[in-house]
């Protein structure tokens, strides 16, 4: 078995496709995937219609848009559904054809599938050669909880906090050949060709029997080829098939040559991959006299090599003795307005959501600051091109133009480090020094987005290279001090000096890590002094625009956002952050102070974007679904249950889980992506949230930055499908998101990273405080409720600002 090749529908010419399918016999079958838009729009469907029309002897499975394209190309009509259905489930009946072998059928059979569609095939218009094979078994679409749990409290059952959707007036054939009413066509097959279409998504995490459907399609392919193309099978070059596959999989992050160059380069790429693998397996041969792993010689032998040596010390139980993380930070870094300092602050550690905090500032010889600004947004050809400024520890600054963008630069930087893995043996955390800072939302242009319509007032990325740092283990109360130097050295002046400062700290009466007090936000008065970019009426109008796009099949979910701003002049920014972390503690909180940029970030984010640990495990924890805490324990529990059983919030969350499974699948070992936690409800000081966890094992041929590029920006801030949704949101929103919706975190020199989603955050830049907020718009959205949810998300940071001023 080999991984599938993913080809965009506008990437290959018809000549290319014929070459691979018929001259080289490189592929056994074709899956035409889901996507936004309509099969009637050439930009949406690309060359797929010609493939369906002319490749009569190639097994093809069309999913969602591919299903509609199969019907459309043979003359059927694709029309608006009576109501869009996205992230919701239906029970399916089928006719028992080969595609549904060993899959049950009908009501209460257990065959439930996830639907993402606003358009449907008009069954009345189906030509004779297309046969209906599947349809919904009932009128209503269901929520995830309704289909997977039998203990739903009656007050939260369908009809209380969910809306029933009467979806479609289409139906299967009855025994008499007539059409029954009120059921939606879910599958078709061609009468003489091995072509099938499914309106639902068999690949969704919540679809039952999806794996069996793909297994059946593979068996259909094998049987078809054995019966009709035996002569071709004898001539197939199976080694060559693998060669064709691998360049496409690697092509996620680089421009891959088109047409014959792809074939000519295949053996070379395989050779390089094999050589790299051998080098990694024999890493002992790639260690210098100090035993350091030389990642540069393994991957990029032409780059400048940086040999890093790590020294560290541990102080058992010290954090509790000196008053916790706040006291440590203020003592070590709180002077001189905490200039050029950072603090990745696990200020909410209950239920083990986070364990470590990292803090530091300017001081070491390897310290530097990277500041990146994208070039003119109006130039569509420049993509990630921009201007990088690098300030070193001595204060000198150099500027350069990055033609390939910031992420490419960061990737090369991380690959230039070599080190001894024994240096960090015994450390229970994954950040041992390296880059720490933020990536703004506009870096989406380096991750597949077409353009940025709006220019950010803040830099698009800012990072410190942290060579000295303090780490607090909130589980054991241990404190670690770490220092990295270039080359071999036995001197550790910073370690010794920091040790003395820590040991001289007086014990504080303040205790950290306690359960936060229940804080129900009962008033919007804290908003009064913040000026919104859009009025309530304008925001609601934008929600309506989003819902129109969803109705037309352009998106399943659009994460609409806006900004609120206030002029604050000079203020104690660190004091504000300390107040925010007390009032709204969060597991992925952060303080960043880029003094030269006149930029401070006070972040109380509860959401992890993406983490890569030392074992190569990727983890994302998207939040979709938020409700305010209650004023009493009874009301609070009611709000929590309301969120847990909300059909709308379940649909939002499910769509983003499926999106992130796809994002991680691009860089993970096939079959390793899984969802250990789906739609858990987590409670914080001011809100309850619905959180899912997606994990996978990183492939050995991709880097840390490759993983980020595959998933950035976080899907919970874009919607799905991601690229089309970002394009639509750019046309609706009237200002840059800036740092909001981006990510804060670290990239360790040993290729691990941990990044949050920038939400619940106050950005202070040039005397102005800004707070971004928004929410996911789906077919079930109510515009007024969406506005209220957006305001709710601004309340904790806005209230902290108003209380502190």
């Amino acid at each position: 078995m080999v991984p599938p090749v993913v080809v965009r529908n506008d990437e290959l010419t018809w000549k290319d496709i014929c070459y691979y399918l018929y001259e080289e016999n490189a592929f056994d079958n074709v899956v035409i995937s889901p996507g936004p838009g309509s099969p009637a729009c050439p930009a949406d469907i690309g060359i797929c219609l010609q493939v369906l029309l002319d490749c009569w002897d190639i097994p093809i499975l069309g999913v969602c848009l591919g299903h509609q394209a199969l019907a459309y190309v043979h003359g059927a009509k694709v029309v608006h559904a009576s109501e869009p259905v996205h992230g919701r489930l239906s029970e399916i009946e089928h006719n028992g054809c080969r595609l549904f072998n060993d899959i049950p059928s009908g009501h209460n059979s257990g065959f439930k599938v996830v639907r993402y569609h606003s358009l449907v095939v008009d069954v009345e218009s189906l030509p004779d050669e297309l046969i209906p094979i599947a349809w919904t078994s009932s009128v209503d679409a269901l929520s995830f909880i309704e289909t997977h749990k039998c203990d739903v409290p009656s007050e939260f059952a369908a009809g209380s906090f969910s809306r029933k959707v009467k979806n479609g007036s289409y139906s299967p054939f009855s025994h008499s050949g007539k059409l029954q009413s009120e059921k939606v066509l879910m599958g078709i097959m061609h009468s003489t060709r091995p072509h099938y279409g499914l309106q639902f998504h068999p690949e969704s995490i919540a679809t039952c029997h999806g794996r069996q459907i793909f297994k059946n399609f593979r068996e259909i392919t094998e049987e078809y080829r054995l019966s009709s193309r035996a002569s071709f099978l004898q001539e197939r070059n199976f080694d060559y098939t693998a060669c064709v596959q691998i360049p496409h999989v690697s092509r996620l992050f680089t421009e891959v040559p088109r047409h014959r160059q792809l074939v000519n380069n295949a053996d070379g790429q395989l050779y390089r991959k094999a050589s790299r693998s051998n080098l990694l397996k024999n890493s002992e041969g790639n260690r210098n006299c100090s035993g350091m792993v030389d990642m540069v010689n393994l991957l990029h032998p032409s780059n400048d090599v940086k040999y890093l040596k790590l020294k560290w010390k541990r102080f058992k139980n010290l954090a509790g003795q000196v008053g916790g993380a706040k006291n440590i930070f203020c003592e070590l870094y709180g002077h001189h307005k905490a200039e050029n300092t950072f603090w990745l602050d696990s200020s909410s550690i209950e239920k083990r959501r986070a364990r470590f905090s990292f803090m530091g500032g300017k001081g070491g010889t390897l310290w530097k600051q990277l500041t990146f600004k994208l070039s003119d947004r109006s130039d569509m050809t420049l993509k990630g091109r921009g201007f990088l400024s690098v300030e070193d520890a001595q204060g000198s600054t150099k500027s350069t133009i990055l033609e390939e963008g910031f992420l490419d630069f960061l990737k090369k930087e991380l690959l230039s480090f070599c080190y001894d893995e024994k240096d960090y043996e015994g450390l229970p955390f994954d950040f041992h020094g390296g880059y720490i800072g933020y990536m703004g939302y506009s870096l989406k242009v380096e991750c597949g987005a077409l353009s940025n319509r709006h220019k950010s007032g803040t830099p698009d990325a800012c990072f410190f290279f942290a060579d000295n740092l303090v780490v607090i283990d909130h589980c054991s109360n241990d404190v670690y001090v770490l220092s990295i130097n270039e080359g071999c050295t036995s001197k550790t002046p910073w370690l010794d000096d920091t040790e003395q400062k820590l040991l001289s700290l007086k014990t504080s009466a303040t205790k950290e890590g306690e359960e936060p007090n229940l804080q129900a936000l009962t008033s919007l008065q804290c908003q009064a002094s913040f000026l919104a970019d859009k009025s309530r009426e304008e925001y609601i109008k934008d929600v309506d625009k989003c819902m129109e796009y969803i109705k037309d099949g352009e998106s399943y979910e659009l994460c609409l956002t806006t900004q609120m701003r206030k002029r604050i002049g000079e203020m104690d920014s660190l004091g504000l952050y300390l107040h925010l972390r007390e009032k709204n503690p969060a597991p992925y909180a952060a303080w960043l102070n880029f003094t030269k940029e006149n930029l401070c970030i006070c972040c109380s984010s509860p959401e992890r974007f993406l983490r890569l640990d030392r074992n190569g495990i990727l983890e994302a924890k998207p939040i979709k679904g938020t409700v305010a805490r209650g004023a009493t324990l009874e009301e609070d529990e009611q709000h929590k249950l309301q969120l847990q059983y909300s059909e709308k919030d379940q649909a939002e969350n499910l769509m983003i889980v499926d999106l992130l499974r796809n994002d991680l699948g691009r860089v993970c070992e096939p079959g390793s992506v899984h969802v250990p936690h789906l739609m858990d409800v987590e409670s914080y000081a001011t809100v309850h949230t619905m959180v899912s966890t997606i994990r996978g094992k990183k492939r050995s041929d991709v880097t840390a930055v490759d993983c980020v590029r595959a998933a950035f920006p976080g899907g919970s801030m874009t919607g799905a499908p991601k690229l089309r949704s970002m394009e639509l949101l750019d046309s609706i929103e009237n200002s840059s998101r800036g740092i909001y919706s981006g990510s804060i975190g670290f990239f360790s020199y040993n290729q691990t990273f941990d990044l949050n989603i920038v939400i619940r955050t106050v950005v202070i830049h040039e005397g102005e405080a800004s707070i971004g907020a928004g929410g996911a718009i789906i077919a079930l959205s109510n515009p007024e409720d969406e506005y209220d949810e957006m305001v709710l998300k601004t309340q904790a940071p806005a209230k902290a600002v108003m209380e502190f001023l």
Side-chain angles (χ1 to χ4, degrees), residues 9-282:
N9 64 25
D10 60 352
E11 188 171 4
L12 298 180
T13 66
W14 178 243
K15 184 178 180 182
D16 293 330
I17 289 173
C18 290
Y19 175 78
Y20 290 126
L21 288 178
Y22 294 108
E23 292 187 43
E24 294 293 345
N25 294 303
F27 303 104
D28 298 303
N29 56 34
V30 174
V31 175
I32 299 178
S33 73
S38 163
C41 177
D44 295 337
I45 199 65
I47 205 166
C48 297
L49 295 183
Q50 189 168 4
V51 172
L52 285 164
L53 196 60
D54 293 339
C55 295
W56 57 269
D57 56 345
I58 301 291
I60 298 174
L61 174 63
V63 177
C64 200
L65 181 63
H67 156 85
Q68 295 166 9
L70 175 60
Y72 178 79
V73 80
H74 290 287
K77 295 178 181 179
V78 177
V79 299
H80 281 93
S82 60
E83 191 166 355
V85 178
H86 295 130
R88 302 166 69 211
L89 292 84
S90 291
E91 293 183 306
I92 297 298
E93 297 178 32
H94 60 77
N95 68 350
C97 74
R98 186 70 181 82
L99 190 64
F100 296 113
N101 190 42
D102 293 331
I103 296 175
S105 175
H107 185 58
N108 291 329
S109 69
F111 186 21
K112 304 179 183 73
V113 303
V114 176
R115 297 164 59 186
Y116 295 117
H117 64 101
S118 302
L119 307 177
V120 293
V121 175
D122 181 358
V123 72
E124 299 282 359
S125 68
L126 282 179
D128 291 341
E129 63 265 30
L130 293 182
I131 303 170
I133 60 173
W135 44 88
T136 57
S137 65
S138 64
V139 177
D140 299 324
L142 305 171
S143 70
F144 174 79
I145 293 292
E146 286 178 288
T147 61
H148 285 75
K149 293 187 177 181
C150 60
D151 57 347
V152 179
S154 59
E155 66 267 31
F156 298 105
S160 299
F161 289 95
S162 60
R163 294 165 52 198
K164 285 294 184 181
V165 178
K166 307 296 183 184
N167 190 10
S169 57
Y170 311 112
S171 65
F173 288 106
S174 65
H175 294 297
S176 63
K178 300 293 185 181
L179 292 175
Q180 302 170 4
S181 62
E182 300 299 325
K183 294 184 180 181
V184 182
L185 183 67
M186 287 284 115
I188 56 176
M189 64 177 288
H190 197 280
S191 60
T192 60
R193 301 179 177 189
H195 294 179
Y196 298 82
L198 298 174
Q199 180 62 77
F200 61 86
H201 284 236
E203 82 286 358
S204 172
I205 185 65
T207 290
C208 302
H209 304 291
R211 183 181 294 271
Q212 183 64 40
I213 289 174
F214 288 114
K215 179 182 177 183
N216 290 342
F217 181 58
R218 174 177 173 167
E219 291 176 356
I220 289 170
T221 301
E222 293 170 344
E223 292 169 5
Y224 181 79
R225 289 190 173 276
L226 284 172
S227 63
S228 63
R229 303 191 70 188
S231 61
F232 285 104
L233 285 173
Q234 294 174 4
E235 299 172 3
R236 286 182 64 85
N237 182 337
F238 287 98
D239 290 334
Y240 177 77
T241 302
C243 293
V244 173
Q245 307 270 356
I246 288 175
H248 280 286
V249 176
S250 302
R251 192 190 39 184
L252 293 168
F253 315 107
T254 57
E255 199 67 29
V256 171
R258 293 172 62 90
H259 193 36
R260 303 302 174 87
Q261 289 181 324
L262 175 66
V263 179
N264 294 337
N265 285 346
D267 290 332
Q269 288 209 7
L270 268 181
Y271 172 77
R272 286 195 295 274
K273 179 178 174 67
S275 299
R276 183 180 303 174
S277 175
N278 290 335
L279 284 170
L280 290 170
K281 289 178 181 177
N282 298 290

Side-chain angles (χ1 to χ4, degrees), residues 328-346:
I328 293 173
F329 183 85
C330 291
E331 175 65 24
L332 297 181
Y333 304 109
H335 308 291
H336 308 293
K337 298 182 179 180
E339 294 181 351
N340 300 308
T341 57
F342 64 85
W343 182 5
L344 300 186
D345 177 19
S346 297

Side-chain angles (χ1 to χ4, degrees), residues 458 526-527 529-533 562-573 576-577 580 598-602 737 739-740 761-773 794 797-805:
T458 54
C526 60
Q527 283 300 125
S529 295
F530 274 81
L531 180 63
D533 282 1
T562 189
Q563 300 264 344
M564 296 187 177
R565 309 177 194 275
K566 175 178 174 56
R567 297 299 305 178
I568 58 173
E570 289 291 325
M571 71 173 299
D572 178 9
S573 300
L576 170 62
Y577 175 68
L580 176 64
N598 198 5
L599 173 63
C600 294
I601 304 171
C602 305
R737 296 188 184 185
I739 298 167
Y740 169 67
T761 297
V762 183
V763 176
I764 303 171
H765 184 229
E766 297 179 348
E768 179 186 75
S770 63
I771 301 170
T794 68
K799 186 177 180 181
V801 173
M802 299 307 298
E803 289 175 344
F804 187 73
L805 289 176

